[in-house]
Amino acid sequence: MESEKIKQLIKSYEETYIFATRQLHDAIAEQILGKEGISFEQFLVLRYLAENGESSPNHLATVLHVHKSAITTKINRLLEKNLIHKEKNQQDQRSFVLNVTENGEKVYQACEQKLEELVSSWVEILGEEDSEQFLALYKKITASVIRK
């Protein structure tokens, strides 16, 4: 591919990443999470626990691709809000595992429903075929980045 075309792709990616990703993040945070008083990153922790069951902080840091110190802050905020709770790990009494509370499950379900409604409205705008093509391309890009 010619050099000028590559430069255009880089510029386009930069604009899309900076603008679209930030707008997406802000839309989710404002429309869905702001009402529940949690950040997008806290929601990702809550969502993982709600969908996968108990987990250790180390495992959460790994699957969410964040530093262990960052996951501690997110966990503490969710504990303060009574959305998750911790208990001793039955296999290793020196550590603990995290679970979603009943209140956390309610918040997760409410946020998930709003998220589905938001994404459905985007699919309506793009159309099903363009949405599927976008996801296919996004998966290819992700796989390419992971291989490197």
Side-chain angles (χ1 to χ4, degrees):
M1 185 177 280
E2 68 182 69
S3 176
E4 194 56 39
K5 185 68 173 175
I6 290 174
K7 287 179 183 179
Q8 288 175 339
L9 286 171
I10 292 169
K11 181 72 174 158
S12 234
Y13 171 78
E14 179 183 46
E15 289 170 355
T16 301
Y17 177 79
I18 291 171
F19 178 75
T21 305
R22 185 167 290 144
Q23 292 298 319
L24 172 65
H25 184 275
D26 290 350
I28 290 170
E30 181 182 314
Q31 293 179 30
I32 297 168
L33 307 174
K35 295 174 179 104
E36 302 299 340
I38 62 175
S39 70
F40 184 69
E41 292 80 12
Q42 291 166 11
F43 173 67
L44 294 177
V45 172
L46 181 65
R47 186 173 202 241
Y48 183 86
L49 291 171
E51 292 180 355
N52 298 284
E54 75 178 24
S55 182
S56 70
N58 286 343
H59 181 72
L60 283 171
T62 300
V63 297
L64 297 175
H65 305 285
V66 296
H67 194 272
K68 290 176 187 174
S69 62
I71 203 72
T72 300
T73 302
K74 292 164 190 29
I75 289 168
N76 287 338
R77 298 289 184 271
L78 293 169
L79 287 167
E80 289 168 8
K81 295 173 189 300
N82 192 34
L83 299 177
I84 63 172
H85 65 91
K86 66 180 179 177
E87 56 192 54
K88 288 272 186 199
N89 184 336
Q90 297 302 319
Q91 285 76 32
D92 181 359
Q93 293 294 312
R94 297 170 295 162
S95 64
F96 62 92
V97 292
L98 301 160
N99 286 297
V100 177
T101 63
E102 189 175 319
N103 186 43
E105 182 64 31
K106 288 177 187 174
V107 168
Y108 161 72
Q109 290 295 335
C111 289
E112 196 67 16
Q113 181 178 352
K114 291 175 189 172
L115 182 58
E116 287 177 16
E117 290 168 4
L118 182 62
V119 172
S120 289
S121 71
W122 296 338
V123 171
E124 233 177 81
I125 292 166
L126 288 174
E128 197 168 321
E129 188 177 329
D130 284 349
S131 297
E132 288 176 9
Q133 285 180 338
F134 169 77
L135 287 175
L137 287 171
Y138 200 80
K139 285 178 183 179
K140 282 183 180 180
I141 291 169
T142 302
S144 171
V145 170
I146 290 171
R147 272 195 300 243
K148 302 211 181 225

